[in-house]
Amino acid sequence: MATATVLGGPAAHWVESFQKAREEGSGSGTWRGRWRRRSVISFGSKNRTIGVAAKNQQITHANNTVSNFKRFHGRAFNDPFIQKEKENLSYDLVPLKNGGVGIKVMYMGEEHLFSVEQITAMLLTKLKETAENSLKKPVTDCVISVLGTAFDPFLGGKNFDEKLVEYFCAEFKTKYKLDAKSKIRALLRLYQECEKLKKLMSSNSTDLPLNIECFMNDKDVSGKMNRSQFEELCAELLQKIEVPLYSLMEQTHLKVEDVSAVEIVGGATRIPAVKERIAKFFGKDISTTLNADEAVARGCALQCAILSPAFKVREFSVTDAVPFPISLVWNHDSEDTEGVHEVFSRNHAAPFSKVLTFLRRGPFELEAFYSDPQGVPYPEAKIGRFVVQNVSAQKDGEKSRVKVKVRVNTHGIFTISTASMVEKVPTEENEMSSEADMECLNQRPPENTDTDKNVQQDNSEAGTQPQVQTDAQQTSQSPPSPELTSEENKIPDADKANEKKVDQPPEAKKPKIKVVNVELPIEANLVWQLGKDLLNMYIETEGKMIMQDKLEKERNDAKNAVEEYVYEFRDKLCGPYEKFICEQDHQSFLRLLTETEDWLYEEGEDQAKQAYVDKLEELMKIGTPVKVRFQEAEERPKMFEELGQRLQHYAKIAADFRNKDEKYNHIDESEMKKVEKSVNEVMEWMNNVMNAQAKKSLDQDPVVRAQEINIKIKELNNTCEPVVTQPKPKIESPKLERTPNGPNIDKKEEDLEDKNNFGAEPPHQNGECYPNEKNSVNMDLD
């Protein structure tokens, strides 16, 4: 299953820092993205290019194109791995002031130095922009997959590519006397061709050629390789495959027989030898039903859907784990010895919080580190130092109890989130009764504070018991410490204090004691984490670069608009537009287009945006009338045809009216005269403009435009349509109405009967009075 959140590790700190840096804006969108080792950023004289477009510049602008930088996170510049990788990079790595890795490039015509974190933020910014363009809404959250459990960071597709590159470098040096490593462009081309060859060998076992034209010094080079040779060449890498598999089974406490199915993902798993090694280890066929390149991204997408309130997913949960055990070390109050405690074991559920209790008279320092440095794929095992400040002894000189909450959050980041000191405050005798309830509340741990809420929430997420309170248990590395206790050890003392002897006289009342939790500040110094000032500077720099990229994009768009106009119009002037411009203007416009094209590739290669805008306006002054004449010649006949049809329609109706057609005999004659007048006026106008337009040539501006004809059609419809569509008045037939007694009678007969019975007493039935219908109607009208 793909891990869908950021796990712990030295590299995790930059994720947290730049997560904050990238959260600029609002919205509820989420995005998924797979971190590609070929993520490329190219720096130019005016802007940056990121992604696929930058990859195309990887060879032409090799010194200013940054790629393969993911594994530089969390490492110092003097790290042996950095020094080894430095030899195979097209760009320069330099040390930063803090000892980290810096990347030197030329940007905006000046030399710039960027940290690996800044380069990563540039990539995340581009991914965020791409996601927002696709989702059509702001994106504020993301899910990043980071390998955990068991893996080898130096066993991947790139390592297999390097074996091929080394082989062909040696062959070309012997065969052609060419040193590919001496020219970075040649080396990059060889890397690209070796990657293609590796993919071909996954589906072909025969000899496959490798040909590169003009490789170095205008020489073409060639070579060949088959799958058997490739597997022999990579035998050392193939032997490493089983190591993380054994580690995985050990950590999960499973046997090979317990595994029912194996699904492999990742580009390198397409290599047949890799598949065979994994299948042999598990003793069963392996499954490749998932897209090897997209599986991890799909796992991230699922986690995005789970976290986003905009999506409803089936009941599904992912419990992340701490991949490396984390311990705390501290100095005792009055001794030189150190105390050590492992707070989170390997594969401990995350997020999770624990509360440790210390006995101290003053401020103290805790240092967090990875318990198994050999198991961490980075040379630095330290996580950071945390100083708990403002700690003081009790008024009676006793040590204070300090509660420290350690936490691994949802991002896998370890930190000491809060610290508090339990302070005993005596109360006056007259305050005892009024503050008794408050004292009782203070003596037990507060249940409604934000801190405890977080603890309960975190543990429920991890599927564990509620709040964990623990002593910093002594290990074999430290002697027993009387300074570190827990609430549980206090219970027997409390019981003894409450014991009373029957034969002794009653003791005097002791003053009431209030227990108050005082929040303590914590100074955190994390390894490789960016300081607030430096982070703000990075954010400001990134903002300026984003603005510059936007301005450069607008400038390039303006330049491209001129170029497109030149190509489009030159083609159409020799085609559909040819009849709509006179010969003299035709030749002069063609010359202007050619001059503009030459200007674009010479003097106008690098001009300001306004220069391109002005140039386009100059061309459009001549080109737009030609384009309009062409469009009008296409649309005008259609509009005239539609107008003629409407005139015929209304003229026929007027003729039918004069011929006493029953369909229109309900229309007033004065209204129909308005229709005839409008038809005659519009018909006269149409004949006049059509005759005038017939006298014009195609290269002259039209007498009437399609839009004017459309307006005439609307005017005609507005005048005539309400008249000719008048509905005929409805003639209602006499209604038959039912009397209270007897059959239906005609209303006239009823009226006659009412006259005859005028003044007579109304009939009665069943004790009720039923007035006649006419009286009822008259009553309603009154």
Side-chain angles (χ1 to χ4, degrees), residues 561-712:
V562 176
E563 188 177 40
E564 290 173 5
Y565 195 88
V566 168
Y567 291 147
E568 178 188 2
F569 235 93
R570 186 161 53 195
D571 291 341
K572 290 184 176 181
L573 281 177
C574 300
Y577 290 176
E578 187 174 7
K579 298 177 182 179
F580 299 91
I581 185 172
C582 66
E583 184 63 26
Q584 182 179 355
D585 292 343
H586 185 274
Q587 296 301 323
S588 61
F589 195 28
L590 282 176
R591 284 195 299 270
L592 179 59
L593 291 172
T594 302
E595 291 173 1
T596 304
E597 181 184 16
D598 295 339
W599 175 82
L600 280 173
Y601 298 116
E602 294 174 3
E603 182 183 351
E605 176 69 25
D606 189 15
Q607 294 290 328
K609 172 187 173 182
Q610 191 59 41
Y612 300 117
V613 173
D614 296 341
K615 187 66 69 173
L616 182 61
E617 289 179 354
E618 180 185 354
L619 296 175
M620 291 179 70
K621 284 181 181 178
I622 304 174
T624 300
V626 178
K627 183 178 181 180
V628 169
R629 288 195 286 268
F630 169 77
Q631 292 175 341
E632 288 295 327
E634 293 285 319
E635 294 295 326
R636 190 169 53 248
K638 299 176 184 177
M639 300 306 296
F640 272 136
E641 183 181 0
E642 183 180 349
L643 178 58
Q645 290 175 354
R646 300 309 297 169
L647 287 171
Q648 290 178 3
H649 174 68
Y650 295 128
K652 184 178 182 303
I653 293 176
D656 291 343
F657 176 80
R658 288 193 301 273
N659 294 332
K660 307 298 183 179
D661 192 318
E662 291 185 359
K663 290 190 297 184
Y664 306 108
N665 59 10
H666 64 282
I667 300 176
D668 189 86
E669 185 175 358
S670 62
E671 293 291 326
M672 190 57 71
K673 285 183 178 180
K674 292 180 181 179
V675 172
E676 292 178 345
K677 181 182 178 182
S678 179
V679 169
N680 293 332
E681 289 176 352
V682 174
M683 189 174 293
E684 181 182 359
W685 175 85
M686 185 177 73
N687 291 333
N688 291 336
V689 295
M690 288 182 71
N691 292 333
Q693 183 63 44
K695 298 176 183 178
K696 293 279 186 178
S697 60
L698 292 177
D699 59 4
Q700 293 179 309
D701 290 338
V703 175
V704 62
R705 295 178 183 270
Q707 185 178 3
E708 297 176 55
I709 304 173
N710 190 40
I711 293 174
K712 282 293 181 181

Side-chain angles (χ1 to χ4, degrees), residues 412-472:
I413 311 299
F414 174 86
T415 186
I416 295 183
S417 56
T418 60
S420 61
M421 180 175 62
V422 179
E423 186 175 293
K424 298 178 181 178
V425 180
T427 59
E428 297 295 334
E429 187 72 21
N430 56 1
E431 295 179 0
M432 288 172 56
S433 59
S434 62
E435 296 185 356
D437 293 338
M438 183 63 68
E439 183 271 334
C440 292
L441 290 174
N442 287 335
Q443 279 191 341
R444 63 173 181 267
E447 296 178 356
N448 296 324
T449 62
D450 294 338
T451 301
D452 288 337
K453 283 183 180 179
N454 293 336
V455 175
Q456 298 285 353
Q457 180 181 357
D458 295 341
N459 294 331
S460 63
E461 289 176 7
T464 63
Q465 297 179 356
Q467 179 179 355
V468 176
Q469 291 195 349
T470 176
D471 301 340

